[in-house]
Amino acid sequence: MSKIFELPASARPADEVPLKYGVVLYPGFQALDVFGPLDALNSLSLAYPLQLYIIAETLDPVSTKPPDHLNPAGSDFAQFIIPTHTFDSVPPIDVLIVPGGVGNRAPANMDGLLAYIVKIYPNLRYLITVCTGSGLAARAGVLDGKRATTNKRAWARTVDLRPQVTWVAHARWVVDGNIWTSSGVSAGIDTIFAFIGEAYGEEVASMIADFLEYERHIDSTWDPYAEKYGL
Amino acid sequence: MSKIFELPASARPADEVPLKYGVVLYPGFQALDVFGPLDALNSLSLAYPLQLYIIAETLDPVSTKPPDHLNPAGSDFAQFIIPTHTFDSVPPIDVLIVPGGVGNRAPANMDGLLAYIVKIYPNLRYLITVCTGSGLAARAGVLDGKRATTNKRAWARTVDLRPQVTWVAHARWVVDGNIWTSSGVSAGIDTIFAFIGEAYGEEVASMIADFLEYERHIDSTWDPYAEKYGL
């Protein structure tokens, strides 16, 4: 048995930290929204005994391919991920990750996913959204009265979904209670590292970031994209 | 039809750029090695008519799960990707992406993948490796006499695979001829953006990076990880 990581003394013990993760997928999800956070957690799973459930409407493979009307170049460029559970079959989890992607735009039917968020949220330790995934959490009502952020290019479309949310335009990520919302796509990587720092220990987060050779943005208010997109 | 991107005037026309991509997968590949570059290309595929082949030994789903002896915490934390082609069935491609991951370490049998690299390389416009993927290209012999880099934590193990390569220790990525090799994991994202800048136009690369809210490292010699890992 080869140990890839030695946990630092400051690391929180395995019986205190979240161990069971779920991520929801839907057709046209944004790949990096999912695999940025998940690959940090893949690496963390070499140090802590983690479990992952990949959750979707059915057990059919879920494609990153955007709907045809959002694929103007007619590309055939997609990845297919296999779910491990459906919304109805997934066991209890500690943390749910909700990605964004053009596939969640109207008229996509997100009813099953939204109902799952409504049902599971009261039992979660943490909810983490990436990019327009916060629009899905908002539509499920779990962000009402909370501060949250989202993708900056898709800002207007997303915040219009739910005015009951206190949307924060200038933020790489926002934490309110047990909900972590991130800005667009790659912001999910900074968000998951901030989350790992909070939940497992800052030295653990640094160790994993170094393993991935990832230079973190550690200031949650760093956000040049808000200005780039006129917010 | 909704156009997500307007190509800038400086963008290279579709008949001059690489359009057909392949990525090779094997059990225990590193997810972000694949999905960092692929998600930049997913986004690029909204502007150019791109094709992607996901290539593996068989058409069975390929898991990110590390081999048991490299999973000391006993985690059950993995993602499963469906190949579209095998090494024997894949059509001609312009660009091959080779990811790293603990799954390529000895005693893993990588013969099929190495033979595919040997066979396909003479017909590629570009070969891009991420992380210890350069160790696979090196073992296939296509890096002999060329400059290349790799993961900094796995440096000694990787460069020992092939001394005929001129290994560059301090580099986020290295370009030699038509081969782009990147440092560990997240360095693949900077590398693909540098590649997109070169092959499609710098303004195209900036547009896609902004879409992903990704702050690029644009200096290929930026590499704090070489020092962190004592190189």
Side-chain angles (χ1 to χ4, degrees), chain A residues 4 45 75 153 183 186 213, chain B residues 4 45 75 153 183 186 213:
Chain A
I4 292 183
S45 83
S75 289
R153 183 176 156 136
S183 192
S186 74
E213 299 189 20
Chain B
I4 292 183
S45 83
S75 290
R153 183 176 155 133
S183 192
S186 73
E213 298 190 21

Side-chain angles (χ1 to χ4, degrees), chain A residues 6 36 59 64 80 90 106 110 135 204 226:
Chain A
E6 286 295 337
L59 293 177
T64 59
F80 299 83
V90 60
M110 307 301 288
V204 176

